[in-house]
Amino acid sequence: MSKKVIISALVSLDGFIATSQGNSAILEENFFICQPAGIELRKPAQSEWILLGRKTFEIYREKLLKYVQEGCKIAVLTHNPLRLNETERCVYCFNRSVEQVIEILKKKSSANIWIIGGYQVINEVTSHNLADEIHLITLPLVLNEGIPLFNTELPAPRVELSDVQKYGELTYSTWKRSV
């Protein structure tokens, strides 16, 4: 199996992944209401590692345990060590660049690396064209302002649309790295 680096993100119709204060709860709530029963849209198949920043880890800490129970390991980008409890033995902290951590995880992994954020991590990965795929779940929601999915001051990801599916009011699109 070929290892891939896959970004997965919830995004509003107007391209935001969080409010101006960095809160993504409204997107999460909307996704919870709209997600189709029995279909996993977030976690890519055959994912062994979940890569995310410290703030995102702190927000989703409890929810991530579900994926740990399914065999995933978690890599957290942080400058400061985390206080981990006994149930978080599969959480590893890295004080390195995203590029370095992805290389380390690729060497340790036999499966996909799933990136779920935050926006700084996503932008560093996309601006360096490190993602093999970007999976976007577009919600029927307009925020009018907030944190955009991509920082327009950085190089845009070089991707092309591979697939689009509609699930009720949600749109699920897959973008693959173009050469």
Side-chain angles (χ1 to χ4, degrees):
M1 179 180 83
S2 176
K3 298 179 234 183
K4 294 179 185 174
V5 175
I6 302 171
I7 294 173
S8 179
L10 299 177
V11 63
S12 66
L13 282 172
D14 49 355
F16 297 107
I17 60 172
T19 64
S20 298
Q21 296 76 34
N23 187 339
S24 61
I26 191 167
L27 293 161
E28 291 289 337
E29 291 166 10
N30 200 277
F31 176 68
F32 179 76
I33 291 167
C34 296
Q35 86 177 341
I39 297 176
E40 173 64 65
L41 290 178
R42 290 189 115 163
K43 180 180 174 243
Q46 290 103 31
S47 294
E48 182 177 355
W49 284 93
I50 301 171
L51 176 59
L52 65 167
R54 181 189 183 110
K55 289 180 188 173
T56 305
F57 174 76
E58 294 292 352
I59 292 168
Y60 293 103
R61 193 173 199 148
E62 293 299 316
K63 292 180 182 179
L64 290 168
L65 291 178
K66 167 189 169 192
Y67 299 115
V68 168
Q69 292 168 352
E70 295 173 2
C72 286
K73 297 177 212 106
I74 299 171
V76 181
L77 295 165
T78 179
H79 297 292
N80 303 307
L82 291 168
R83 289 182 183 234
L84 302 171
N85 61 46
E86 186 63 27
T87 61
E88 297 173 326
R89 284 178 277 168
C90 291
V91 176
Y92 301 87
C93 298
F94 293 91
N95 184 6
R96 298 180 180 210
S97 73
V98 171
E99 291 171 287
Q100 291 171 325
V101 173
I102 287 173
E103 283 307 309
I104 291 167
L105 298 182
K106 281 183 174 181
K107 289 177 184 170
K108 292 182 177 214
S109 181
S110 60
N112 295 327
I113 299 164
W114 175 31
I115 299 173
I116 60 172
Y119 67 92
Q120 292 168 323
V121 173
I122 290 172
N123 279 286
E124 191 168 339
V125 170
T126 58
S127 68
H128 289 96
N129 212 37
L130 300 173
D132 297 299
E133 294 180 7
I134 301 173
H135 297 182
L136 298 180
I137 301 167
T138 306
L139 303 164
L141 174 70
V142 175
L143 294 180
N144 291 317
E145 63 179 4
I147 297 172
L149 175 61
F150 301 117
N151 180 341
T152 57
E153 295 177 11
L154 296 172
R158 294 185 303 273
V159 294
E160 53 190 43
L161 184 62
S162 169
D163 187 42
V164 178
Q165 296 177 27
K166 188 173 183 255
Y167 296 95
E169 295 181 303
L170 301 177
T171 303
Y172 181 86
S173 57
T174 302
W175 300 80
K176 293 190 177 181
R177 178 175 27 193
S178 58
V179 183

